[in-house]
Amino acid sequence: MSVDTPSRESAPTTTPRPSLWAALRPLALRLHFYAGVLVAPLLFVAALTGLLYALSFQAENILYRHELRVPVGESVQPLTAQVAAAQAAHPEGETTAVWPSSERGATTRVLMKAPGLADDESLAVFVNPYTTDVRGALVSTGSSGALPLRSWLSSFHADLQLGELGRNYSEMAASWLWVVALGGLLLWVGRRRRLRLLRPERAATGRRRTLSWHGSVGLWAVTGLVLLSATGLTWSRYAGENIAELKDRLGGATPTVAAATTGGTGGGHEHHEGMAMPSAAPSTLTLDQVAGIARGQGVRASIQIGLPGAGKGFVVRERDTEFPVHLDAVAVDPADGRVMDVLRFADYPLLAQLTRFGIDAHMGVFLGLPNQLALAALALALMALIVWGYRMWWQRGPATGRGPGRPQPRGAWRRVPLPVLGVLAVVTSVIGWFVPMLGAGLVAFLAVDALLGLRSLRRGAARP
Protein backbone atom coordinates (compact mmCIF):
# COMPACT_ATOMS: atom_id res chain seq x y z
CA MET A 1 0.00 0.00 0.00
CA SER A 2 1.42 3.29 -1.02
CA VAL A 3 1.04 6.60 0.72
CA ASP A 4 0.72 9.65 -1.46
CA THR A 5 2.93 12.52 -0.47
CA PRO A 6 2.03 15.99 -1.63
CA SER A 7 4.28 17.29 -4.33
CA ARG A 8 6.09 20.61 -4.02
CA GLU A 9 3.83 22.05 -6.67
CA SER A 10 0.65 21.17 -4.73
CA ALA A 11 1.88 22.55 -1.39
CA PRO A 12 -0.26 25.46 -0.23
CA THR A 13 1.35 28.87 -0.58
CA THR A 14 0.59 31.92 1.54
CA THR A 15 1.19 35.45 0.43
CA PRO A 16 2.68 37.53 3.26
CA ARG A 17 0.28 40.19 4.38
CA PRO A 18 1.70 43.65 3.80
CA SER A 19 2.44 45.63 6.94
CA LEU A 20 0.50 48.75 7.82
CA TRP A 21 3.54 50.90 7.10
CA ALA A 22 3.86 49.32 3.63
CA ALA A 23 0.30 50.48 2.96
CA LEU A 24 0.80 53.95 4.44
CA ARG A 25 4.23 54.70 2.97
CA PRO A 26 3.04 55.50 -0.60
CA LEU A 27 0.44 57.86 0.83
CA ALA A 28 3.07 59.54 3.03
CA LEU A 29 5.42 59.82 0.05
CA ARG A 30 2.77 61.49 -2.10
CA LEU A 31 1.83 63.96 0.63
CA HIS A 32 5.48 64.75 1.38
CA PHE A 33 6.09 65.28 -2.33
CA TYR A 34 3.19 67.69 -2.86
CA ALA A 35 3.89 69.58 0.35
CA GLY A 36 7.57 69.83 -0.52
CA VAL A 37 6.98 71.06 -4.06
CA LEU A 38 4.07 73.44 -3.46
CA VAL A 39 4.70 74.76 0.08
CA ALA A 40 8.50 74.73 0.00
CA PRO A 41 8.76 78.22 -1.59
CA LEU A 42 6.82 79.68 1.35
CA LEU A 43 9.00 77.76 3.79
CA PHE A 44 12.14 79.01 2.06
CA VAL A 45 10.98 82.64 2.31
CA ALA A 46 10.07 82.13 5.98
CA ALA A 47 13.49 80.59 6.67
CA LEU A 48 15.36 83.37 4.86
CA THR A 49 13.47 86.16 6.62
CA GLY A 50 13.81 84.28 9.91
CA LEU A 51 17.58 84.09 9.39
CA LEU A 52 17.74 87.86 8.86
CA TYR A 53 15.66 88.38 11.99
CA ALA A 54 17.92 86.11 14.07
CA LEU A 55 20.92 88.19 13.01
CA SER A 56 19.17 91.49 13.73
CA PHE A 57 19.84 91.34 17.50
CA GLN A 58 23.57 91.71 17.10
CA ALA A 59 23.15 94.12 14.20
CA GLU A 60 20.95 96.28 16.45
CA ASN A 61 23.70 96.51 19.07
CA ILE A 62 26.08 97.79 16.41
CA LEU A 63 23.73 100.06 14.48
CA TYR A 64 22.25 101.74 17.57
CA ARG A 65 25.32 101.65 19.77
CA HIS A 66 25.22 105.44 20.24
CA GLU A 67 21.73 105.23 21.72
CA LEU A 68 22.27 102.04 23.71
CA ARG A 69 25.71 102.51 25.28
CA VAL A 70 27.46 105.32 27.15
CA PRO A 71 30.76 105.66 29.03
CA VAL A 72 30.44 104.47 32.62
CA GLY A 73 30.17 107.40 35.03
CA GLU A 74 30.74 107.77 38.74
CA SER A 75 27.12 107.79 39.92
CA VAL A 76 23.64 107.25 38.48
CA GLN A 77 21.26 110.21 38.53
CA PRO A 78 17.72 109.83 39.95
CA LEU A 79 15.19 108.30 37.57
CA THR A 80 12.95 111.33 37.99
CA ALA A 81 15.69 113.57 36.61
CA GLN A 82 16.32 111.21 33.71
CA VAL A 83 12.64 111.16 32.78
CA ALA A 84 12.45 114.94 33.07
CA ALA A 85 15.33 115.26 30.60
CA ALA A 86 13.55 112.96 28.15
CA GLN A 87 10.29 114.92 28.49
CA ALA A 88 12.12 118.21 27.95
CA ALA A 89 13.66 116.85 24.75
CA HIS A 90 10.33 115.48 23.49
CA PRO A 91 7.47 117.52 24.95
CA GLU A 92 5.11 116.10 22.33
CA GLY A 93 5.21 112.66 23.97
CA GLU A 94 3.38 111.30 27.01
CA THR A 95 5.57 109.07 29.18
CA THR A 96 4.09 105.63 29.74
CA ALA A 97 7.01 103.52 31.01
CA VAL A 98 10.66 103.62 31.98
CA TRP A 99 13.35 100.98 31.51
CA PRO A 100 16.09 101.92 33.99
CA SER A 101 19.66 101.16 32.97
CA SER A 102 20.07 97.43 33.61
CA GLU A 103 23.88 97.29 33.56
CA ARG A 104 26.93 99.52 33.68
CA GLY A 105 27.24 101.55 30.51
CA ALA A 106 23.65 100.98 29.36
CA THR A 107 21.26 103.87 28.76
CA THR A 108 17.89 104.35 30.39
CA ARG A 109 14.95 104.00 28.00
CA VAL A 110 11.95 106.31 28.48
CA LEU A 111 8.92 105.14 26.50
CA MET A 112 6.35 107.65 25.27
CA LYS A 113 3.14 107.66 23.29
CA ALA A 114 3.53 110.24 20.55
CA PRO A 115 1.41 111.44 17.61
CA GLY A 116 1.62 109.28 14.50
CA LEU A 117 2.60 106.03 16.22
CA ALA A 118 0.65 102.79 16.05
CA ASP A 119 -0.92 101.23 19.13
CA ASP A 120 1.99 98.81 19.64
CA GLU A 121 4.63 101.47 19.02
CA SER A 122 6.33 103.85 21.43
CA LEU A 123 8.89 106.60 21.12
CA ALA A 124 11.94 105.35 23.02
CA VAL A 125 14.08 108.19 24.34
CA PHE A 126 17.56 107.09 25.41
CA VAL A 127 19.05 108.93 28.38
CA ASN A 128 22.57 108.76 29.80
CA PRO A 129 21.91 107.64 33.40
CA TYR A 130 25.10 109.30 34.65
CA THR A 131 24.59 112.76 33.11
CA THR A 132 20.86 112.80 32.02
CA ASP A 133 22.00 113.76 28.52
CA VAL A 134 19.54 112.55 25.85
CA ARG A 135 21.37 110.29 23.38
CA GLY A 136 18.57 110.07 20.83
CA ALA A 137 15.10 108.67 20.19
CA LEU A 138 13.90 105.69 18.14
CA VAL A 139 10.56 104.03 17.53
CA SER A 140 10.19 100.93 19.70
CA THR A 141 7.72 98.12 18.97
CA GLY A 142 6.06 95.59 21.24
CA SER A 143 6.84 94.46 24.76
CA SER A 144 10.33 93.31 23.74
CA GLY A 145 11.28 96.85 22.78
CA ALA A 146 12.36 96.02 19.23
CA LEU A 147 14.07 98.99 17.58
CA PRO A 148 13.48 99.94 13.91
CA LEU A 149 15.77 97.36 12.27
CA ARG A 150 14.52 94.36 14.26
CA SER A 151 10.94 95.62 14.12
CA TRP A 152 11.07 95.89 10.31
CA LEU A 153 12.63 92.46 9.92
CA SER A 154 10.14 90.95 12.36
CA SER A 155 7.25 92.30 10.29
CA PHE A 156 8.99 91.19 7.09
CA HIS A 157 9.22 87.68 8.50
CA ALA A 158 5.60 87.67 9.67
CA ASP A 159 3.81 89.30 6.74
CA LEU A 160 6.39 90.42 4.12
CA GLN A 161 5.38 94.01 4.98
CA LEU A 162 2.00 93.34 3.34
CA GLY A 163 -0.16 93.64 6.45
CA GLU A 164 -3.03 91.24 7.13
CA LEU A 165 -2.85 89.76 3.63
CA GLY A 166 0.81 88.90 4.10
CA ARG A 167 0.13 87.06 7.37
CA ASN A 168 -1.48 84.28 5.32
CA TYR A 169 1.92 83.35 3.89
CA SER A 170 3.58 82.87 7.28
CA GLU A 171 0.60 80.98 8.70
CA MET A 172 0.56 78.64 5.71
CA ALA A 173 4.29 78.03 6.17
CA ALA A 174 3.95 77.40 9.91
CA SER A 175 0.90 75.17 9.35
CA TRP A 176 2.78 72.88 6.99
CA LEU A 177 6.27 72.94 8.46
CA TRP A 178 5.51 70.37 11.16
CA VAL A 179 3.73 68.12 8.65
CA VAL A 180 6.66 68.17 6.24
CA ALA A 181 9.20 67.71 9.04
CA LEU A 182 7.42 64.82 10.76
CA GLY A 183 6.53 63.26 7.41
CA GLY A 184 10.18 63.27 6.40
CA LEU A 185 11.14 61.76 9.75
CA LEU A 186 8.55 59.01 9.31
CA LEU A 187 9.78 58.21 5.82
CA TRP A 188 13.42 58.14 6.92
CA VAL A 189 12.75 55.92 9.94
CA GLY A 190 10.54 53.73 7.78
CA ARG A 191 13.57 52.94 5.64
CA ARG A 192 15.09 51.40 8.78
CA ARG A 193 18.16 53.56 8.61
CA ARG A 194 20.85 52.95 11.15
CA LEU A 195 22.05 55.56 13.57
CA ARG A 196 25.28 55.89 11.64
CA LEU A 197 23.27 57.68 9.00
CA LEU A 198 22.79 60.58 11.34
CA ARG A 199 25.68 61.75 9.22
CA PRO A 200 25.64 61.74 5.39
CA GLU A 201 27.07 58.83 3.40
CA ARG A 202 30.36 60.05 2.01
CA ALA A 203 30.65 57.27 -0.56
CA ALA A 204 27.18 57.85 -2.02
CA THR A 205 26.77 59.51 -5.40
CA GLY A 206 23.97 61.05 -7.41
CA ARG A 207 20.47 61.09 -5.98
CA ARG A 208 21.49 58.77 -3.14
CA ARG A 209 24.05 61.33 -1.98
CA THR A 210 21.48 64.12 -2.08
CA LEU A 211 19.00 61.96 -0.19
CA SER A 212 21.65 61.16 2.40
CA TRP A 213 22.31 64.83 3.10
CA HIS A 214 18.60 65.65 3.04
CA GLY A 215 17.75 62.89 5.51
CA SER A 216 20.68 63.36 7.88
CA VAL A 217 20.33 67.13 8.24
CA GLY A 218 16.57 66.70 8.54
CA LEU A 219 17.02 64.27 11.43
CA TRP A 220 19.15 66.77 13.31
CA ALA A 221 16.76 69.66 12.62
CA VAL A 222 13.35 68.00 12.94
CA THR A 223 12.79 68.77 16.64
CA GLY A 224 13.67 72.43 16.24
CA LEU A 225 11.55 72.77 13.10
CA VAL A 226 8.49 71.26 14.79
CA LEU A 227 8.93 73.61 17.76
CA LEU A 228 9.26 76.60 15.43
CA SER A 229 6.06 75.53 13.68
CA ALA A 230 4.14 75.09 16.94
CA THR A 231 5.29 78.37 18.48
CA GLY A 232 4.76 80.25 15.22
CA LEU A 233 1.15 79.09 15.10
CA THR A 234 0.44 80.48 18.58
CA TRP A 235 0.27 84.05 17.26
CA SER A 236 -1.02 83.28 13.78
CA ARG A 237 -4.30 84.73 12.62
CA TYR A 238 -6.62 81.72 12.38
CA ALA A 239 -4.94 78.81 14.15
CA GLY A 240 -3.73 81.24 16.82
CA GLU A 241 -7.30 82.03 17.84
CA ASN A 242 -8.09 78.33 18.21
CA ILE A 243 -4.91 77.72 20.20
CA ALA A 244 -5.62 80.65 22.52
CA GLU A 245 -9.17 79.43 23.14
CA LEU A 246 -7.99 75.90 23.84
CA LYS A 247 -5.26 77.15 26.16
CA ASP A 248 -7.79 79.22 28.12
CA ARG A 249 -10.13 76.24 28.46
CA LEU A 250 -7.26 74.15 29.79
CA GLY A 251 -6.50 76.77 32.44
CA GLY A 252 -3.34 78.02 30.76
CA ALA A 253 -4.26 81.71 30.40
CA THR A 254 -1.40 84.05 31.25
CA PRO A 255 -2.23 85.99 34.44
CA THR A 256 -1.45 89.65 34.95
CA VAL A 257 -0.75 91.54 38.12
CA ALA A 258 -3.84 93.23 39.63
CA ALA A 259 -3.17 96.97 39.47
CA ALA A 260 -6.60 98.60 39.79
CA THR A 261 -6.61 101.30 42.48
CA THR A 262 -10.41 101.76 42.66
CA GLY A 263 -13.30 99.44 42.03
CA GLY A 264 -11.06 96.36 42.17
CA THR A 265 -10.92 93.51 44.58
CA GLY A 266 -7.32 94.14 45.48
CA GLY A 267 -6.63 90.45 45.71
CA GLY A 268 -5.86 87.72 43.24
CA HIS A 269 -4.43 87.99 39.76
CA GLU A 270 -6.32 89.13 36.71
CA HIS A 271 -6.33 87.03 33.58
CA HIS A 272 -6.59 90.13 31.42
CA GLU A 273 -5.89 93.80 31.90
CA GLY A 274 -8.86 95.57 33.48
CA MET A 275 -10.81 98.37 31.84
CA ALA A 276 -9.87 101.96 32.40
CA MET A 277 -11.06 103.30 35.73
CA PRO A 278 -11.57 106.88 36.90
CA SER A 279 -8.38 108.83 37.35
CA ALA A 280 -6.60 108.25 40.63
CA ALA A 281 -5.04 110.93 42.77
CA PRO A 282 -1.64 112.23 41.58
CA SER A 283 1.24 110.14 42.81
CA THR A 284 3.42 111.40 45.64
CA LEU A 285 6.05 108.73 44.95
CA THR A 286 9.20 109.20 42.92
CA LEU A 287 10.23 106.61 40.39
CA ASP A 288 13.23 105.72 42.52
CA GLN A 289 10.93 105.04 45.47
CA VAL A 290 8.74 102.81 43.29
CA ALA A 291 11.81 100.92 42.08
CA GLY A 292 12.93 100.53 45.70
CA ILE A 293 9.54 99.10 46.73
CA ALA A 294 9.72 96.64 43.82
CA ARG A 295 13.23 95.59 44.80
CA GLY A 296 11.94 94.94 48.30
CA GLN A 297 9.51 92.43 46.76
CA GLY A 298 12.26 90.70 44.81
CA VAL A 299 11.47 92.40 41.49
CA ARG A 300 14.86 93.75 40.56
CA ALA A 301 16.25 92.18 37.36
CA SER A 302 16.05 94.42 34.25
CA ILE A 303 12.86 96.10 35.35
CA GLN A 304 10.29 98.12 33.45
CA ILE A 305 8.24 100.69 35.41
CA GLY A 306 4.80 101.31 33.97
CA LEU A 307 3.47 104.71 35.00
CA PRO A 308 -0.01 104.93 36.55
CA GLY A 309 -2.92 105.25 34.16
CA ALA A 310 -6.56 105.97 34.81
CA GLY A 311 -7.50 103.93 37.87
CA LYS A 312 -4.21 102.03 37.76
CA GLY A 313 -1.16 101.92 39.96
CA PHE A 314 2.51 101.61 39.09
CA VAL A 315 3.31 98.23 37.57
CA VAL A 316 6.93 97.13 37.82
CA ARG A 317 7.82 94.08 35.74
CA GLU A 318 10.99 92.13 35.29
CA ARG A 319 11.94 91.60 31.64
CA ASP A 320 14.88 89.24 31.92
CA THR A 321 13.90 86.41 29.56
CA GLU A 322 17.25 84.63 29.61
CA PHE A 323 17.32 81.38 31.54
CA PRO A 324 16.69 81.29 34.44
CA VAL A 325 14.02 83.86 33.65
CA HIS A 326 13.07 86.73 35.93
CA LEU A 327 9.53 87.76 35.00
CA ASP A 328 7.94 88.65 38.34
CA ALA A 329 5.73 91.73 38.62
CA VAL A 330 4.44 93.99 41.40
CA ALA A 331 1.71 96.64 41.48
CA VAL A 332 2.23 99.69 43.70
CA ASP A 333 -0.44 102.14 44.81
CA PRO A 334 0.68 105.62 43.63
CA ALA A 335 -1.01 107.32 46.58
CA ASP A 336 0.78 105.68 49.49
CA GLY A 337 3.24 103.12 48.08
CA ARG A 338 1.15 100.16 49.21
CA VAL A 339 1.95 96.91 47.43
CA MET A 340 -1.37 95.94 45.82
CA ASP A 341 -0.33 92.67 44.22
CA VAL A 342 2.73 90.56 43.50
CA LEU A 343 2.79 88.05 40.65
CA ARG A 344 5.57 85.47 40.52
CA PHE A 345 6.42 83.74 37.28
CA ALA A 346 6.63 80.52 39.31
CA ASP A 347 2.89 80.91 39.99
CA TYR A 348 1.99 80.94 36.27
CA PRO A 349 0.07 77.85 35.12
CA LEU A 350 2.45 75.34 33.57
CA LEU A 351 0.88 75.79 30.14
CA ALA A 352 1.34 79.56 30.36
CA GLN A 353 5.01 79.08 31.33
CA LEU A 354 5.61 76.72 28.43
CA THR A 355 3.89 79.12 26.05
CA ARG A 356 6.09 81.96 27.25
CA PHE A 357 9.26 79.86 26.89
CA GLY A 358 8.24 78.76 23.40
CA ILE A 359 7.37 82.21 22.11
CA ASP A 360 10.52 83.76 23.59
CA ALA A 361 12.62 81.00 22.04
CA HIS A 362 10.96 81.61 18.67
CA MET A 363 11.74 85.32 19.04
CA GLY A 364 15.37 84.67 19.94
CA VAL A 365 15.26 86.20 23.43
CA PHE A 366 14.99 83.13 25.67
CA LEU A 367 18.68 82.24 25.85
CA GLY A 368 20.18 85.32 24.25
CA LEU A 369 23.00 84.78 21.74
CA PRO A 370 22.87 80.93 21.84
CA ASN A 371 19.14 81.14 21.06
CA GLN A 372 19.80 83.45 18.12
CA LEU A 373 22.56 81.18 16.76
CA ALA A 374 20.24 78.17 17.05
CA LEU A 375 17.55 80.01 15.10
CA ALA A 376 20.06 80.94 12.41
CA ALA A 377 21.25 77.32 12.18
CA LEU A 378 17.67 76.04 11.86
CA ALA A 379 16.93 78.60 9.15
CA LEU A 380 20.02 77.57 7.18
CA ALA A 381 19.17 73.88 7.65
CA LEU A 382 15.62 74.39 6.38
CA MET A 383 16.82 76.27 3.30
CA ALA A 384 19.35 73.51 2.58
CA LEU A 385 16.68 70.82 3.01
CA ILE A 386 14.45 72.59 0.51
CA VAL A 387 17.25 72.91 -2.05
CA TRP A 388 18.16 69.23 -1.65
CA GLY A 389 14.48 68.31 -1.94
CA TYR A 390 14.13 70.08 -5.28
CA ARG A 391 17.42 68.59 -6.43
CA MET A 392 16.18 65.08 -5.65
CA TRP A 393 13.00 65.84 -7.57
CA TRP A 394 15.09 66.79 -10.58
CA GLN A 395 17.49 63.87 -10.20
CA ARG A 396 14.55 61.51 -10.15
CA GLY A 397 13.54 62.64 -13.64
CA PRO A 398 13.94 60.77 -16.91
CA ALA A 399 17.21 59.08 -17.79
CA THR A 400 18.05 62.05 -20.00
CA GLY A 401 18.22 64.18 -16.88
CA ARG A 402 15.85 66.70 -18.41
CA GLY A 403 12.87 67.61 -16.31
CA PRO A 404 11.68 66.71 -12.82
CA GLY A 405 10.51 63.31 -11.69
CA ARG A 406 6.96 62.19 -11.14
CA PRO A 407 5.29 61.87 -7.77
CA GLN A 408 4.23 58.61 -6.19
CA PRO A 409 1.50 57.04 -8.42
CA ARG A 410 -2.12 57.84 -7.63
CA GLY A 411 -4.37 55.47 -5.76
CA ALA A 412 -2.07 55.07 -2.76
CA TRP A 413 -5.04 55.52 -0.43
CA ARG A 414 -6.61 52.31 -1.81
CA ARG A 415 -3.83 50.28 -0.19
CA VAL A 416 -4.71 51.53 3.28
CA PRO A 417 -7.08 49.30 5.27
CA LEU A 418 -10.56 50.81 5.45
CA PRO A 419 -10.64 51.23 9.28
CA VAL A 420 -7.26 52.96 9.23
CA LEU A 421 -8.36 55.13 6.32
CA GLY A 422 -11.45 56.15 8.27
CA VAL A 423 -9.39 57.14 11.30
CA LEU A 424 -7.00 59.11 9.09
CA ALA A 425 -9.90 60.94 7.48
CA VAL A 426 -11.38 61.93 10.84
CA VAL A 427 -8.03 63.01 12.32
CA THR A 428 -7.17 64.98 9.18
CA SER A 429 -10.55 66.74 9.24
CA VAL A 430 -10.15 67.74 12.88
CA ILE A 431 -6.60 69.02 12.36
CA GLY A 432 -7.64 70.80 9.17
CA TRP A 433 -10.42 72.58 11.08
CA PHE A 434 -8.15 73.49 14.01
CA VAL A 435 -5.34 74.65 11.68
CA PRO A 436 -7.33 76.19 8.81
CA MET A 437 -4.38 76.95 6.56
CA LEU A 438 -3.36 73.31 6.72
CA GLY A 439 -6.89 72.29 5.75
CA ALA A 440 -6.92 74.79 2.89
CA GLY A 441 -3.59 73.46 1.68
CA LEU A 442 -4.89 69.89 1.71
CA VAL A 443 -7.93 70.90 -0.33
CA ALA A 444 -5.63 72.67 -2.80
CA PHE A 445 -3.44 69.56 -3.10
CA LEU A 446 -6.48 67.39 -3.77
CA ALA A 447 -7.73 69.83 -6.40
CA VAL A 448 -4.36 69.94 -8.16
CA ASP A 449 -4.08 66.16 -8.00
CA ALA A 450 -7.59 65.71 -9.42
CA LEU A 451 -6.87 68.09 -12.30
CA LEU A 452 -3.62 66.31 -13.12
CA GLY A 453 -5.39 62.96 -12.98
CA LEU A 454 -8.15 64.21 -15.29
CA ARG A 455 -5.57 65.47 -17.75
CA SER A 456 -3.82 62.09 -17.73
CA LEU A 457 -7.10 60.29 -18.40
CA ARG A 458 -7.89 62.58 -21.33
CA ARG A 459 -4.44 62.03 -22.79
CA GLY A 460 -4.86 58.28 -22.43
CA ALA A 461 -8.27 58.37 -24.12
CA ALA A 462 -6.90 60.45 -26.98
CA ARG A 463 -4.23 57.90 -27.89
CA PRO A 464 -5.14 55.62 -30.85
Side-chain angles (χ1 to χ4, degrees):
M1 183 176 181
S2 63
V3 178
D4 294 332
T5 57
S7 63
R8 181 170 298 181
E9 288 77 6
S10 62
T13 58
T14 57
T15 303
R17 188 175 184 179
S19 65
L20 179 60
W21 171 240
L24 289 174
R25 187 174 184 274
L27 190 62
L29 275 171
R30 193 164 181 81
L31 178 62
H32 193 69
F33 170 83
Y34 270 118
V37 170
L38 300 180
V39 181
L42 299 180
L43 293 175
F44 191 92
V45 172
L48 179 59
T49 56
L51 173 63
L52 295 176
Y53 173 78
L55 300 177
S56 68
F57 289 85
Q58 302 308 314
E60 218 174 45
N61 292 333
I62 298 173
L63 184 62
Y64 304 122
R65 183 172 180 81
H66 176 77
E67 288 81 6
L68 296 173
R69 307 298 301 181
V70 293
V72 178
E74 294 183 359
S75 61
V76 174
Q77 300 299 313
L79 284 175
T80 303
Q82 298 181 50
V83 172
Q87 291 173 332
H90 293 274
E92 76 282 7
E94 178 184 354
T95 303
T96 58
V98 181
W99 293 13
S101 173
S102 58
E103 59 183 7
R104 290 169 58 85
T107 54
T108 292
R109 194 178 302 196
V110 180
L111 302 180
M112 300 179 173
K113 296 304 294 182
L117 297 182
D119 291 339
D120 64 337
E121 293 180 336
S122 299
L123 181 67
V125 183
F126 298 87
V127 181
N128 186 327
Y130 306 104
T131 64
T132 71
D133 292 337
V134 174
R135 302 282 289 182
L138 298 167
V139 175
S140 172
T141 306
S143 59
S144 66
L147 298 181
L149 174 64
R150 181 154 57 97
S151 177
W152 192 92
L153 289 174
S154 176
S155 178
F156 189 50
H157 174 63
D159 58 24
L160 300 179
Q161 295 290 336
L162 297 176
E164 290 297 320
L165 178 63
R167 290 182 64 185
N168 295 326
Y169 119 83
S170 60
E171 183 165 357
M172 180 68 79
S175 299
W176 276 95
L177 178 56
W178 68 273
V179 177
V180 175
L182 291 180
L185 174 64
L186 187 64
L187 290 170
W188 191 256
V189 173
R191 293 169 65 93
R192 297 181 180 178
R193 296 288 185 177
R194 297 180 180 177
L195 289 179
R196 64 182 177 85
L197 288 185
L198 284 172
R199 60 187 183 188
E201 298 180 68
R202 296 181 180 180
T205 58
R207 184 176 180 276
R208 182 179 177 86
R209 178 181 177 86
T210 308
L211 175 62
S212 176
W213 276 96
H214 183 85
S216 298
V217 173
L219 282 176
W220 284 105
V222 63
T223 301
L225 294 178
V226 171
L227 290 176
L228 281 179
S229 175
T231 53
L233 285 174
T234 56
W235 63 74
S236 62
R237 183 178 182 181
Y238 301 109
E241 294 179 358
N242 293 333
I243 293 172
E245 182 179 354
L246 177 62
K247 189 179 71 169
D248 289 348
R249 289 184 177 182
L250 294 176
T254 300
T256 59
V257 65
T261 56
T262 59
T265 61
H269 306 304
E270 302 171 352
H271 288 289
H272 302 284
E273 292 290 347
M275 298 177 59
M277 307 293 286
S279 299
S283 174
T284 59
L285 301 176
T286 67
L287 291 176
D288 294 279
Q289 288 174 324
V290 173
I293 294 171
R295 284 193 293 270
Q297 297 295 322
V299 180
R300 58 174 65 93
S302 301
I303 63 172
Q304 168 186 320
I305 304 174
L307 271 63
K312 295 283 186 177
F314 288 98
V315 176
V316 185
R317 308 178 190 273
E318 292 180 317
R319 54 185 183 85
D320 178 13
T321 57
E322 295 191 19
F323 190 82
V325 300
H326 298 91
L327 297 173
D328 296 346
V330 61
V332 179
D333 192 316
D336 54 13
R338 176 177 58 89
V339 174
M340 297 187 294
D341 190 25
V342 178
L343 176 61
R344 306 292 180 191
F345 183 70
D347 295 331
Y348 278 34
L350 177 60
L351 190 55
Q353 290 183 349
L354 294 176
T355 300
R356 180 61 192 255
F357 289 148
I359 290 177
D360 286 350
H362 191 112
M363 296 177 63
V365 298
F366 178 40
L367 299 174
L369 181 59
N371 192 167
Q372 295 149 27
L373 293 176
L375 288 176
L378 281 174
L380 290 171
L382 180 55
M383 289 190 287
L385 289 169
I386 293 170
V387 171
W388 286 323
Y390 277 116
R391 179 170 174 78
M392 284 191 296
W393 182 34
W394 197 267
Q395 289 174 325
R396 194 181 169 203
T400 58
R402 299 174 182 176
R406 296 179 179 179
Q408 185 75 17
R410 292 182 182 84
W413 60 272
R414 297 189 183 95
R415 305 181 189 180
V416 182
L418 190 58
V420 177
L421 189 63
V423 172
L424 283 177
V426 171
V427 172
T428 301
S429 299
V430 172
I431 295 176
W433 170 83
F434 192 78
V435 186
M437 284 297 184
L438 178 62
L442 281 172
V443 172
F445 293 168
L446 291 174
V448 169
D449 198 37
L451 290 175
L452 292 177
L454 182 61
R455 188 180 68 172
S456 298
L457 288 175
R458 288 181 176 178
R459 285 182 177 180
R463 292 177 182 174

